[in-house]
Amino acid sequence: MSLRVVVADDQTVVRDGLVTLLKLLPGIDVIAAAADGLEAVRLVGEHDPDVLLVDLRMPTMDGVEATRRVRADYPRTEVVVLTTYSDDDSVLSALRAGARGFLTKDADAESIGRALQAAAAGQSIVDADVQRLLIEGTPKPVVDTGLTPRETEVLRLIAEGLSNTEIARHLVVSEATVKTHINHLFAKAHLRDRAQAVAYAYRLGLA
């Protein structure tokens, strides 16, 4: 079955361009497009899409609030956010609101398609430019997190982009042990997924 997507962007040219690009990708079905966050939330309620692809800066209701409402009212729908280089604070806010993936607006169609598919599968994709925003735009004081030294090390390796298998190999432990550390640190830090873990590691100065 095709992935059902709602697109939201206040700029008509950008919105129409995204719709056109996504329609060229196999397995993607753009079922509606919104001009602001309020309309995006309404369309998600009407169409029950798999993913909402939403701009952060929009009138009436911005992408952060739209993300928060969609994740609260329609939890089956995942959210992938589009950002620009000046949106570092909004990226962090969208993470906290429950966004699953983050892309800059210069991402190509294939990258957007991969992010949408990953989000629908419950995975997070944060592209390199957005990671750079988090690194450069976020204060990084080291604070007492309550994490053990090994959990802190695992968090640092997650922020470096390592998979569970790679972390296990790096630490010379089993993959099951790595998963246990991840479960513990996610619970202590109230993290939902690896995207939030990456942002958390940047805030702590671990990455």
Side-chain angles (χ1 to χ4, degrees):
M1 294 179 62
S2 293
L3 194 69
R4 303 172 71 253
V5 177
V6 169
V7 172
D9 196 295
D10 63 308
Q11 297 181 353
T12 302
V13 173
V14 175
R15 185 173 64 251
D16 291 348
L18 285 170
V19 171
T20 300
L21 282 175
L22 293 177
K23 284 184 175 180
L24 297 175
L25 296 177
I28 301 291
D29 181 16
V30 180
I31 55 177
D36 58 55
L38 189 62
E39 185 180 13
V41 175
R42 179 179 63 80
L43 290 174
V44 167
E46 289 180 4
H47 296 282
D48 188 32
D50 299 299
V51 185
L52 168 65
L53 178 63
V54 62
D55 182 25
L56 281 178
R57 300 291 176 87
M58 294 185 294
T60 309
M61 180 188 294
D62 65 15
V64 173
E65 182 59 26
T67 297
R68 185 177 295 110
R69 294 197 185 186
V70 166
R71 296 300 299 146
D73 297 341
Y74 311 104
R76 198 194 76 79
T77 299
E78 298 289 354
V79 179
V80 172
V81 166
L82 289 173
T83 185
T84 62
Y85 287 107
S86 60
D87 284 333
D88 48 306
D89 291 337
S90 297
V91 169
L92 292 172
S93 297
L95 269 171
R96 299 185 187 105
R100 181 70 72 173
F102 296 86
L103 298 167
T104 52
K105 284 191 173 181
D106 59 354
D108 58 31
E110 289 73 19
S111 297
I112 296 173
R114 285 194 298 270
L116 295 174
Q117 296 285 0
Q123 302 168 356
S124 298
I125 286 186
V126 180
D127 76 14
D129 288 328
V130 175
Q131 289 191 26
R132 194 172 301 112
L133 281 176
L134 294 173
I135 294 171
E136 296 173 353
T138 308
K140 297 179 269 299
V142 176
V143 298
D144 182 10
T145 62
L147 302 179
T148 67
R150 182 46 62 94
E151 289 163 358
T152 301
E153 179 67 3
V154 169
L155 178 60
R156 183 183 66 79
L157 294 173
I158 289 174
E160 290 182 4
L162 273 65
S163 68
N164 288 1
T165 301
E166 291 167 333
I167 293 173
R169 189 178 302 121
H170 180 86
L171 298 178
V172 195
V173 298
S174 70
E175 192 168 344
T177 298
V178 171
K179 290 179 180 178
T180 298
H181 289 317
I182 291 175
N183 288 337
H184 288 168
L185 75 88
F186 274 33
K188 290 179 180 179
H190 308 291
L191 304 173
R192 185 171 62 88
D193 53 40
R194 292 176 95 92
Q196 290 188 345
V198 169
Y200 184 59
Y202 289 148
R203 293 201 301 274
L204 296 178
L206 298 177

